[in-house]
Amino acid sequence: MIRKIFHSKFSEIILVYLALFIVDNIFKFNFITLSVNPYWAVLLFYAVRSNITTHIISLSSFTTVFFSSVYFQNIKFTFSNAVANSSVLAISTLIAMINETRIYRITSLEISLSEKEKEIENLKEEIQKQRIFIEELKETIFYEGEGISNLFLKLRELPVNDPQEFYQGFLEIISDFFDINKLSIYRLNRGFFRFIAGKGEPILGFSFRIEDSVVVKRAISEGFSSIRNLVEEAKPESLVGEPWAAVKIGDEEVYGVMVVEDIKPSKLNKTYQKYLMSMSAWLYSTMKKLESMQSEYIRQHKLEDGSYDEEYYKKEFARLKILKEKYSLPFSVLCICVLKDDIKEFLSNFRTDDVPFKFKEEKDRVCYKILLPMCNEKGKERIIERIKSRFEGVTLCEDI
Amino acid sequence: MAGIGFKIRNILKKDLLSYDISAILYAILVTSGPWIISSVYIFLLSVFLKKPDYYFSGVVIYSFIFSMIISGGFSFLLTRYIADLLYKRDYLLLYRTYSGSVIFISGISIFISGMFYMAHSYAYTPFEIFLGMAVFTMLSAVWVQTLFVSATEKLSPVIYGFLVGFSTSAFLSFTLKGLENHLLVSLVIGLAIIIYFNNFFICKYFRMKKGLKPSFEFLKAIKEYPENLLIGFIYYFGVWVDDFVAWYMMGNEISPGFVLLREYDTAMFISYLLIIPAMSLFVLQIETDFYKEYRTFYSMLEKNFRLDLVKLQFKRLSSVMSYTIKNIFSLQFSLMIIGLILSEPFSRFLGIGGSFLWIFRFAVVGVSANLIFLTLMLLALYFDFRSYVLKNVSLLFVLNFFLSIFTMKKLPGLSFALSFSIVSFIFMLTFRIDHLLYITYTKISSGLEKTFVKHIKIKGA
């Protein structure tokens, strides 16, 4: 601060007055008694050019040299000298005050400008809000007009004999209708959300736990959740890899979840939330019916040891093959032989959706082909590693 | 002076030099009108009356000084109380407070002057005592009335009142020459006219009916704002204490009980004229730019505006404050230097020699510093920094008192200049409103019910 002062206008002012004072004393001009006083030029110059703080410094310097001149040069100045000096001093102060007023007005205008900029920002925000609101209204008008009735007509035409086909069909119709680029459906099974319908590799994987996604976690507790709701509460880095939105499937019990992976952010509004939730309710009731029909069919093909008959295996194989071709949904076939004593424990290691089929039986061991839906090569490798580490004498068909 | 800002703003709306000058003249009239008129009256009497009346001089000077101390002492408290009433728009209580405060302060004045004359009753006739007490009491009442008039939007009628009152008084001084104590009699009549004018105007402005009982509720405000009362008294005593010391140490008793020091008092009296322009500028800026930003700032806080907007308004308020202080400082500084430059020719012109010149020079520095101090003090009180102001006025009083004792004989007036300069300098260095937002927010009630907090000691904590 002090350094700044010494390198500033203040030091310049002091030096100018000092220089004049020295010249005045050496040559005995008696500046302050002259009708054209050189000190006045400096005083008026700084008053005109700078702000009032500079003028005060200039005025102080003027006062110092004025009274020093009176003292050192023993000047007896006349009444007219005093009046002339006083008048110039008064004029310089008046000029400095006018200058200061201009500076103050400029500062005030700068603040007003900042205020106006803030107002513009607020108005822009308001416009954006209104736009979203208008969009929502438009969508409401569309859905509550012919949109929703058309949607239900399409959904009623979905095949119910094949649940997988039904889910995929449902997903396609919903995605198309709500303009969702990517949507997946998961079913809760033994604490894991397992992928049952969707297109391609889902961002949450084919299986995940509730703790793995904050959006899904919130959707399970509140029915619906989107990144937009969480962005103010959670840290931004914690939302990386999260889906745009999720809708719970189920009422009091959690049945599954619909995960919106790709959508235009502007679409995530309350109208969407409302209709997606009603779609999920419809899906929930249909899923329950389909699954009860499916479980009856499965029971007919299930064997005592927990595996399935060949007919069921072949049918499932064909179905998964079609899904893979149509929707790029992966599946794997694991061919493995295990000791007879370990059969029960061995089969309990698989998911309820997996389809084990006993194709070969020897004296002390049995060989199974197991269909692993929604499981790619990596998943298959992991399962093999797990089985090998748990059971001795396990051999893969290729190793035989 | 909440009301006059409106008038000044209206004048300033027209961006013309003539209107600017009118606004300045109006501000001068408002701030110093009664003072200038009283000074002109005293000056005229001293010029035209050939034979000096010492009792009259003593009564006038003592009455002016002590009435200012008494009314000034209460002025900070009353101003605050009036502002609260105006905010609540309780004009009925305002009027009742007006009559109550006039009665109260007149009562105190009667008591004090009564004590004074009891001690000097041997030297004066009952009529002289009555006149002396009347002048003192009436002047105190006039100053209190002026406080209430300031709350209105019109001040011109009051100025007319002063003009008529003092003109009548001056006229009677010459026409009643044969009467005993004619000067005091005419002054009492003049003051009575002023009181009547003020009273008439206040009643008319607040549309008051007869029969309203005076209210002394303002005395309860002492409990709420005790600092304001102390600030008033300590400040006014601080301003005059060097005079008292000067009278005590070097004064002459011009009439029994009235000790004065002519050179000292004249120097002080003339030097005070130098603050009129800066004081008017202060009123002009406070009532126009500052008050507008100040009101907006507090109304934004009251209405819970967004913090970024409040901060911008705070910036605006700081800017106008800095502008006001700089302008006043600069103007007063210039006037001080002009006063110092002109002091010698002026002293020659007046024909007062001796120690007058140096007393006058010190007085010029002192009153200039006093104005800066007063400006900062009033600004600080706007923000309710009462304890801070109290500390500064206390320091001022102590410094002026002790410095006067030690320096009065050798360098009369130095203590006045030094104490005001030192305290103003300290005030300027320490007066900050950077934390005003925090302070104001913490003062605002949260609306939560007051209750007890139970302290629980946790083991190991």
Side-chain angles (χ1 to χ4, degrees), chain B residues 49-87:
Chain B
L49 289 174
K50 285 166 192 166
K51 205 175 145 194
D53 183 337
Y54 293 116
Y55 179 56
F56 171 75
S57 305
V59 168
V60 169
I61 293 172
Y62 268 47
S63 296
F64 265 94
I65 293 175
F66 289 101
S67 66
M68 272 188 191
I69 291 175
I70 292 169
S71 58
F74 280 96
S75 68
F76 288 88
L77 181 79
L78 272 171
T79 313
R80 176 66 202 234
Y81 189 70
I82 293 168
D84 286 353
L85 292 181
L86 281 174
Y87 182 77

Side-chain angles (χ1 to χ4, degrees), chain A residues 235-281:
Chain A
K235 287 178 184 171
E237 57 268 23
S238 69
L239 298 175
V240 175
E242 284 288 334
W244 276 103
V247 191
K248 176 183 160 186
I249 303 170
D251 42 25
E252 280 174 8
E253 67 159 338
V254 182
Y255 212 74
V257 68
M258 284 203 294
V259 176
V260 179
E261 293 181 23
D262 190 8
I263 191 172
K264 272 188 192 169
S266 62
K267 294 271 180 190
L268 279 175
N269 54 44
K270 283 195 173 170
T271 316
Y272 246 63
Q273 176 183 336
K274 197 172 102 185
Y275 287 104
L276 276 178
M277 283 173 83
S278 57
M279 284 300 112
S280 136

Side-chain angles (χ1 to χ4, degrees), chain A residues 217-253:
Chain A
K217 199 174 178 183
R218 177 64 69 89
I220 295 306
S221 64
E222 290 176 11
F224 177 90
S225 170
S226 75
I227 274 201
R228 194 179 271 176
N229 304 136
L230 294 166
V231 86
E232 283 174 12
E233 301 165 24
K235 287 178 184 171
E237 57 268 23
S238 69
L239 298 175
V240 175
E242 284 288 334
W244 276 103
V247 191
K248 176 183 160 186
I249 303 170
D251 42 25
E252 280 174 8
E253 67 159 338

Side-chain angles (χ1 to χ4, degrees), chain B residues 84-250:
Chain B
D84 286 353
L85 292 181
L86 281 174
Y87 182 77
K88 290 182 206 161
R89 293 174 188 273
D90 194 345
Y91 298 119
L92 190 74
L93 187 57
L94 186 68
Y95 179 77
R96 290 176 57 216
T97 305
Y98 155 70
S99 32
S101 55
V102 168
I103 292 169
F104 180 75
I105 286 169
S106 300
I108 291 180
S109 303
I110 290 169
F111 176 75
I112 291 171
S113 54
M115 296 285 282
F116 175 83
Y117 281 107
M118 257 173 72
H120 302 95
S121 57
Y122 61 90
Y124 302 107
T125 63
F127 186 55
E128 281 173 334
I129 291 173
F130 165 75
L131 290 173
M133 283 176 73
V135 170
F136 177 57
T137 309
M138 288 166 107
L139 266 175
S140 300
V142 167
W143 302 139
V144 178
Q145 283 184 320
T146 317
L147 277 180
F148 283 86
V149 173
S150 306
T152 68
E153 284 176 12
K154 291 171 186 174
L155 264 119
S156 324
V158 179
I159 306 299
Y160 298 143
F162 267 85
L163 264 178
V164 174
F166 278 114
S167 305
T168 314
S169 183
F171 174 74
L172 291 175
S173 304
F174 295 104
T175 49
L176 299 177
K177 255 183 185 173
L179 199 77
E180 193 190 346
N181 289 306
H182 67 283
L183 291 177
L184 280 177
V185 171
S186 50
L187 182 59
V188 168
I189 295 170
L191 287 172
I193 292 171
I194 296 170
I195 288 175
Y196 177 77
F197 256 81
N198 284 348
N199 192 54
F200 177 76
F201 173 70
I202 292 169
C203 291
K204 201 182 160 198
Y205 186 84
F206 293 111
R207 291 174 188 164
M208 288 305 146
K209 290 168 191 170
K210 282 179 183 173
L212 284 172
K213 280 184 183 171
S215 163
F216 297 95
E217 286 278 307
F218 70 95
L219 291 172
K220 285 184 186 167
I222 298 173
K223 261 189 184 175
E224 205 175 337
Y225 312 115
E227 298 98 335
N228 282 35
L229 189 72
L230 289 171
I231 289 167
F233 276 106
I234 297 172
Y235 172 72
Y236 280 99
F237 269 112
V239 169
W240 293 107
V241 72
D242 56 293
D243 264 71
F244 302 152
V245 174
W247 294 345
Y248 179 76
M249 285 184 162
M250 302 180 291

Side-chain angles (χ1 to χ4, degrees), chain A residues 51-53 55-56 59-60 62-63 66-67 75-79 81-83 85-87 89-90 93 96-98 100-102 104-105 107-109 111-115 118-119 122 125, chain B residues 15 281 285 289-290 293 300 306 308-309 312-313 315-317 319-323 325-346 348-349 361:
Chain A
N51 59 17
I52 210 153
T53 314
H55 173 68
I56 292 168
L59 203 60
S60 309
F62 174 81
T63 314
F66 185 91
F67 287 109
I75 294 168
K76 292 270 177 215
F77 55 91
T78 59
F79 185 71
N81 279 151
V83 171
N85 277 294
S86 302
S87 307
L89 202 144
T93 301
M97 282 168 73
I98 292 169
E100 190 63 20
T101 307
R102 298 278 173 240
Y104 168 67
R105 297 279 172 238
T107 316
S108 287
L109 287 172
I111 297 169
S112 297
L113 187 69
S114 307
E115 278 173 355
K118 284 211 179 291
E119 270 178 36
N122 292 342
E125 272 176 30
Chain B
D15 197 11
L281 180 74
Q285 295 199 331
D289 297 322
F290 174 79
E293 305 304 347
M300 283 172 95
R306 270 173 32 198
D308 55 345
L309 295 177
L312 271 180
Q313 184 55 32
K315 205 175 162 187
R316 216 183 254 280
L317 185 64
S319 157
V320 75
M321 262 185 70
S322 148
Y323 167 67
I325 294 170
K326 278 180 189 170
N327 265 356
I328 287 165
F329 184 84
S330 162
L331 180 63
Q332 194 51 49
F333 190 54
S334 305
L335 288 167
M336 181 185 89
I337 296 162
I338 290 170
L340 292 175
I341 293 173
L342 291 174
S343 58
E344 203 183 344
F346 185 69
R348 266 185 264 141
F349 171 76
R361 283 175 179 163

